[in-house]
Each structure stands twice: as structure tokens, then as C-alpha cells.
Amino acid sequence: MKRLALLSLTLCTSAHAASTITIATVNNPDMVTMQRLTPEFNKKYPDINVRWVVLPENELRQKVTLDVASNAGSYDIATVGTYEVPIWAKNGWLKPLNPLFSKNASITRAYDLNDVLEPVRKGLSYQGQLYALPFYAESSMTYYNKDLFRKAKLTMPANPTWQQIQTFASKVHNPSQGVYGVCLRGLPGWGENMALFSTMVNTFGGRWYDQNWNAQVNSAAWKNAMTFYVNLLKRYGPPGATSNGFTENLTLMSQGKCGMWVDATVGAGFLKDPAASKIVKSVGFANAPTGPGTPRGSNWLWSWSLAVPKSTKQEDAAFKFITWATSKEYIALVAKTKGTWAAVPPGTRTSTYTNANYKKAAGDFAPIVLSSIKRADPTRPTKDPVPYTGIQFVGIPQFQALGTQVGQ
């Protein structure tokens, strides 16, 4: 009887100790990998159960914003970006992470926060406090199919212009063979087509607002950028471009259907992954294109990151997960699982870029990614001065609705 009672007490204690965290994340390939590796997290923390809510980018933003703003508490971890973090932190919607690091000395030592790239840390901070940890960070760059370029006798420069991109697109565009000159985001959304298009506006010499917050969307620079973008996609882009965001264009590029693709640097690892890409040996890399106005603001700065909403009741469990999923240990785990260091979440840690295995696997694109992230300056994104921060977005709460409306 005593043994039975002791067993019963043990089971009750274990059941009570177990906790469940709900994670809301975007359906990007890196996040899908994170979901698949949940059993590895459970090996380290068997008393924490993980429930996933995986959504397309636009839907994720709507649902998570509504939930966090209303303090509903549906999510213990939210996938957020460099746009949301400072705004949400200011509103008191997120838990500051510095106190959690202070409470967990062993995690802090292993995590090595100073290893996280400074521009990324700054982008996820507000008033000196860190509010999210970067799962991966990115700028933007140009991808091209070297086989198609060789066939057309073209050479991609290290620093292409948008005019050169248009010329190259006209040479390799062959829709009858299922090959399109250039793939660009056309899916409406402030973080979809407007991410790319805002960089075009910047480098064509435009801006969203002047110093007095007067809208500049009717300026000549805006008109020139918009005309160029629309004509480029209509003439040399794939059919149904308004349905294509990052994920759709990544698929097209990886299947050899795009002569070029201008998008997030995070795509490089997938295009070099034999399990996901048919163009591993023929993909080339260059910097993001510049326009006729200025090189400033031609490449963006973004980080998909993990934050803990203020409304969570599982603070400790959530902190354990976000430090695990953004750690050096996790990056090595992805390399082992995928069979290549080229596929690891990029852009977050100095140690990744000094790792000999990563240099060997990602040597043709890693330097471009790192220099692009370091070069991106959200405080000086345009030719003329502006009252906001942000390169591919305007760092104000209203931009989420405004950017999507303009994108549509």
C-alpha cells in the first residue's frame, strides 16, 4: 500500500510539473525545420510539451498581433520581426529577456549573448532591454542561375543595378520552356511585396515621408520605381505573380524556373541544399540591386525572432525553448540533421561565420550575407532624411495596415 501511494504521489507530481507551451510561427522552411526538431528539445526538457500553430506570414501577423494586443494569452511564444519588437515592447506586450537571463545562469553561460550579431541585437531591443531572440536574420540579395546566364553569354556583376537586372531578364526569359527572366514578390502585404518594393523606392531616391511626416507616395521617385517594378514583372516574371511571396518564389527558383530572384538572404541555404534544390551547382549570388537614386536602403535588415508575450503563464518554459531554438547547439543540430552546414539558420551569430564547416559549405554566399546585414542601416534608409527608422518598413504602429493597403 505504501509503495502504491508513493507511486501515485510521484505520478501526480510529474503530471503537475509538466507544462505545455503554444508557439505561433510562420510557415517558412526554417520554422518548419524547428517544428520537426521538437523531439530533440523534448530530450533536453522532457517536462515541457510543445504545441505548434503554423500559419502563412500575413495570417500569422494578424492573429498574433490581435492576440498579444488584447492580452488573450493564446500563445506562449510568438514569432515576430524587427518591425514588431520595438513597438510591442513600448506597448508593454512582451516580456523583457534580460531579467530571465539573469535568473538562469547556466543557460546564460551556454547561450553566449555577445555572440549574436550586434545589428540584430539592436533591432530586437527597446530602451536597452532585449525583447526577442533571433531565430534567423537576413538582408536581401540577388540570386541567379549560372547555367542560364552562361547559355545567354551574360555575366552577373557583384553589384548589379535594377536596369541591369531588367536587361538580363529580357535575355533569359523563355516562358515556352518554363523559364522566367526574374522572380519577385508580388503577393500583397507589408512584409511581402512591400518589403521588396520599399527597397526599390529607397534606391530610386524615394521615401515614405518627409521630415514633417508629409506622405511622399505621389513623388516622381515613387512613380518611377512603381512603373519599373510593374513592367519588370509583367514582361519577364512568372504568371500569377500576385500570388507569389517568399516561399513561392523560393520554390520556383529552386526548380530552375527563374533566371534571377531578388529576395531574402535566408534563401541561399535552401538553394544550396540538395534535398530542396535542383540548382545547387548552378546558383550564383550577388548583392541586392541598386537604383538610379542612391545605393542607400537597397538591402533590408530583418530577423524572424522568438518573443515571449506578457500574457504567458509559462514564462520559464517559454524561455527555455527560445534559448534552445536560437542557440549554437541548435545551429549544429540543424547542420547534422540536414547533412550540410549550408542549411543552418543564418545571420544571427559571429560563431557561425567563423565556423570552418560553415565557411566550406557556404563560402560562395556567406560573405555577401554578412556584409549585407552589417551594411544595412535602418536609421539612414533613404537618400533624403526621414523621421522614421526601418528600411523595408516604417517603424510606426500604423504601417502594418498602411503597408498592406499600399501593397494591394
Side-chain angles (χ1 to χ4, degrees), residues 84-340:
E84 291 95 348
V85 171
I87 296 172
W88 291 13
K90 183 180 180 181
N91 291 343
W93 297 349
L94 301 176
K95 286 188 177 290
L97 300 182
N98 300 69
L100 297 178
F101 274 107
S102 297
K103 284 198 310 183
N104 293 273
S106 60
I107 290 178
T108 302
R109 283 193 299 272
Y111 190 80
D112 190 6
L113 196 55
N114 289 329
D115 185 48
V116 178
L117 293 170
E118 187 178 7
V120 180
R121 285 205 314 268
K122 283 184 175 179
L124 300 176
S125 299
Y126 175 71
Q127 293 187 342
Q129 287 278 332
L130 187 66
Y131 282 88
L133 297 178
F135 184 69
Y136 70 77
E138 65 185 32
S139 186
S140 50
M141 69 190 297
T142 302
Y143 304 98
Y144 65 101
N145 189 310
K146 291 190 286 188
D147 288 346
L148 295 175
F149 266 58
R150 197 177 297 114
K151 187 177 179 181
K153 297 180 180 178
L154 300 172
T155 301
M156 174 67 76
N159 298 289
T161 65
W162 275 112
Q163 191 60 52
Q164 286 175 316
I165 295 293
Q166 183 182 60
T167 301
F168 297 154
S170 70
K171 303 287 186 183
V172 300
H173 189 59
N174 192 357
S176 64
Q177 298 297 312
V179 174
Y180 309 101
V182 65
C183 293
L184 302 173
R185 297 188 190 192
L187 182 67
W190 73 268
E192 283 286 2
N193 63 345
M194 292 311 295
L196 173 77
F197 182 67
S198 290
T199 64
M200 290 183 71
V201 169
N202 294 340
T203 199
F204 269 68
R207 52 185 174 168
W208 279 87
Y209 295 97
D210 68 14
Q211 284 287 64
N212 297 314
W213 288 102
N214 295 309
Q216 300 295 297
V217 295
N218 59 348
S219 66
W222 264 80
K223 182 178 180 180
N224 292 339
M226 191 179 298
T227 302
F228 184 90
Y229 166 74
V230 170
N231 289 341
L232 184 60
L233 264 184
K234 280 187 173 181
R235 291 172 185 167
Y236 309 120
T242 54
S243 298
N244 294 343
F246 169 81
T247 305
E248 293 78 14
N249 283 319
L250 172 61
T251 300
L252 286 169
M253 187 72 194
S254 67
Q255 296 300 306
K257 296 183 180 298
C258 305
M260 292 169 293
W261 177 37
V262 181
D263 212 299
T265 55
V266 71
F270 299 107
L271 295 176
K272 293 292 285 185
D273 182 359
S277 173
K278 292 181 179 178
I279 61 166
V280 171
K281 294 182 179 179
S282 60
V283 61
F285 310 93
N287 284 305
T290 55
T294 177
R296 192 172 291 167
S298 60
N299 59 285
W300 68 61
L301 178 64
W302 182 259
S303 171
W304 274 121
S305 306
L306 303 177
V308 181
K310 202 70 173 281
S311 53
T312 183
K313 293 179 173 60
Q314 302 290 344
E315 176 184 289
D316 289 338
F319 181 70
K320 287 174 181 175
F321 186 89
I322 68 172
T323 48
W324 171 80
T326 60
S327 65
K328 297 176 187 177
E329 170 193 2
Y330 177 86
I331 290 171
L333 177 62
V334 173
K336 181 181 177 182
T337 304
K338 293 277 191 177
T340 172

